[in-house]
Amino acid sequence: MTRLGGALRIPANAKMSDLANIDDIQPGLDLCCYQLDPTEDPRWTELVERHPRASVFHTVGWLNALRRTYGYEPMAFTTSPPTGDLKNGLVFCRINSWLTGRRLVSLPFSDHCEPLFDSAEDVNFLLNYLQAVIQRRKWKYLEVRPINWNCGQTGEGIAFLPTAAYFLHKIDLRPDLNEVFSSLDKDSVQRRIQRGQRAGLVEKCGRSDELLKEFYALFVITRGRHRVPPTPYAWFRNLIQCFDKALAIRLAYKDKTPIAAILTLRFRDVVYFKYGCSDARFNKLSATPWLLWRAIAAAKSNEAKEFDMGRTQKDDAGLLAFKNHWVPKPKRMVYWTFPHTPSLDSPDGWKFRIAKRIFSFMPNSLRTMAGRLIYRHIG
């Protein structure tokens, strides 16, 4: 073992148990790596509740929904010993897929997931260790999805490379609500919200089975327009069970017909817009901007300080333009992998383009069945 850039480089041929405590191979050293189950260890929830960079994607609710729906195994790694307070952590899901390989992802189907570390030395040490494990176990790759962290500048021994680029749009809710509204694009957002208000739309908000079924019907239609399979129905059912009142489905109706829907989650003082869908026949009524504004106003009235609109691929010109009208200066995000592996959902990949072409010829019922089968392999 050699010291690199303030961290310790663990050689790939070290005798490690499968992702376990490495105390036995480096006695007496200052740093060790420990594994814990974040859904069972109460210290993880305590860390997530207090750490300033924690998000809804770090929570036990999100991790349990991933495990229930896709069978992924949540695990976190830390330099804190099991007998003391948990001072840091990096959470992953272990994916074992016969189709796409074995890998660690932080985290599947999550827009972002910051390493909860305050020390560069600690996180570099942990990443060095995990790189060695990936090589030794011959897993396909390790992926991290930070917001503000550049893995390419973490020092010697950290061999991550960028995999995919996204933009993250966040609305600051600390100003007065009228100021928030005034900050939105006048033509593309403000007028559409006002158009929705004049259209006589009715909103229902909740988590009932009826609302979920109507939301999912619109979701299937929307994914069909995008030529991709819908996320399994079980995923949304599990989210509701795991988040309860922290989740809200909002549906817009025109003359009792559901025409648009959004799903939001809340963690601490941030509301997350995670899913949106609509019936394109009613686009002229601007139901989606209307619903988003109602969700923003509700978040503000409930003392939320931020409205996270989620990630957008840099090549998704339509969605990017839509969100830029709400947040003109989004944050650029980069996902990183070791060893370098093209992202499974990258629009630049030939496999992705062929898959979209195949799905475009499927009826919605067949696309829905395909979604139940394939999503567990692409997290």
Side-chain angles (χ1 to χ4, degrees):
M1 292 168 287
T2 56
R3 189 174 293 274
L4 295 171
L8 288 164
R9 182 71 170 96
I10 311 301
N13 61 356
K15 295 181 179 179
M16 306 175 191
S17 58
D18 188 13
L19 301 177
N21 183 341
I22 59 172
D23 240 349
D24 56 332
I25 66 170
Q26 51 171 25
L29 296 176
D30 291 338
L31 292 176
C32 293
C33 180
Y34 303 89
Q35 178 190 336
L36 59 95
D37 181 345
T39 65
E40 297 292 338
D41 192 326
R43 297 180 305 157
W44 178 258
T45 296
E46 294 170 0
L47 174 65
V48 171
E49 287 291 341
R50 71 173 184 268
H51 202 283
R53 288 192 293 277
S55 74
V56 71
F57 304 114
H58 292 90
T59 63
V60 170
W62 185 260
L63 297 173
N64 277 333
L66 287 170
R67 175 154 54 191
R68 291 183 188 184
T69 309
Y70 304 110
Y72 302 153
E73 180 184 356
M75 54 182 62
F77 299 92
T78 179
T79 61
S80 300
T83 55
D85 293 337
L86 194 63
K87 297 180 180 179
N88 55 51
L90 182 52
V91 64
F92 291 89
C93 279
R94 179 162 61 179
I95 302 173
N96 292 313
S97 169
W98 58 266
L99 183 62
T100 56
R102 296 185 299 168
R103 57 200 184 275
L104 288 177
V105 180
S106 179
L107 281 167
F109 305 116
S110 306
D111 294 350
H112 47 77
C113 191
E114 289 273 75
L116 303 183
F117 281 77
D118 299 318
S119 162
E121 180 185 18
D122 287 358
V123 72
N124 286 356
F125 169 86
L126 188 143
L127 289 173
N128 270 311
Y129 165 65
L130 292 177
Q131 286 180 151
V133 170
I134 290 293
Q135 289 176 317
R136 177 167 175 78
R137 298 296 172 184
K138 298 181 179 179
W139 286 17
K140 191 171 183 179
Y141 63 84
L142 165 76
E143 181 179 51
V144 290
R145 302 179 174 184
I147 298 176
N148 298 303
W149 184 48
N150 187 338
C151 295
Q153 297 178 355
T154 52
E156 187 179 358
I158 309 297
F160 284 80
L161 288 173
T163 300
Y166 298 89
F167 287 98
L168 180 64
H169 296 74
K170 294 183 177 183
I171 298 175
D172 185 357
L173 299 184
R174 289 172 297 180
D176 179 84
L177 189 61
N178 290 329
E179 293 181 51
V180 175
F181 185 80
S182 298
S183 71
L184 308 176
D185 186 90
K186 187 173 183 179
D187 292 326
S188 298
V189 181
Q190 292 184 23
R191 288 181 178 173
R192 290 185 179 182
I193 293 170
Q194 292 164 349
R195 187 186 307 157
Q197 291 170 340
R198 294 192 300 268
L201 303 179
V202 175
E203 180 196 56
K204 290 184 181 179
C205 180
R207 293 165 296 280
S208 68
D209 290 342
E210 180 184 0
L211 281 179
L212 176 57
K213 289 176 182 177
E214 292 182 326
F215 165 86
Y216 195 72
L218 290 169
F219 186 74
V220 170
I221 293 171
T222 303
R223 287 299 179 102
R225 289 201 306 269
H226 298 159
R227 299 185 295 170
V228 293
T231 308
Y233 184 84
W235 167 245
F236 298 104
R237 187 181 63 242
N238 287 329
L239 281 178
I240 290 173
Q241 292 174 354
C242 292
F243 279 94
D244 194 26
K245 294 181 180 179
L247 181 149
I249 296 173
R250 294 177 180 270
L251 272 114
Y253 296 82
K254 178 61 177 177
D255 300 328
K256 298 184 180 181
T257 300
I259 64 173
I262 64 173
L263 186 151
T264 62
L265 300 167
R266 176 158 183 166
F267 173 65
R268 295 195 310 213
D269 56 4
V270 180
V271 173
Y272 298 79
F273 166 45
K274 185 57 184 163
Y275 298 100
C277 46
S278 64
D279 186 333
R281 297 175 301 171
F282 299 90
N283 280 354
K284 65 180 180 179
L285 299 181
S286 300
T288 297
W290 180 74
L291 281 176
L292 280 170
W293 177 247
R294 290 181 67 85
I296 290 168
K300 174 69 176 175
S301 68
N302 288 311
E303 301 183 343
K305 296 179 180 178
E306 190 172 75
F307 192 81
D308 185 326
M309 297 189 74
R311 72 176 191 181
T312 305
Q313 284 183 329
K314 62 182 180 65
D315 300 306
D316 192 340
L319 184 57
L320 190 58
F322 174 81
K323 290 186 180 180
N324 283 345
H325 290 141
W326 296 76
V327 184
K329 296 181 180 180
K331 172 75 176 179
R332 188 174 185 271
M333 279 192 318
V334 177
Y335 292 178
W336 302 82
T337 61
F338 169 83
H340 180 64
T341 304
S343 177
L344 290 172
D345 62 354
S346 171
D348 298 323
W350 63 269
K351 293 180 180 179
F352 183 87
R353 292 196 300 270
I354 290 176
K356 285 194 72 171
R357 184 169 179 81
I358 294 172
F359 292 133
S360 67
F361 293 105
M362 290 184 178
N364 282 337
S365 58
L366 194 54
R367 268 194 294 264
T368 300
M369 184 183 300
R372 291 198 298 268
L373 295 174
I374 69 171
Y375 269 98
R376 67 176 61 250
H377 298 287
I378 62 175

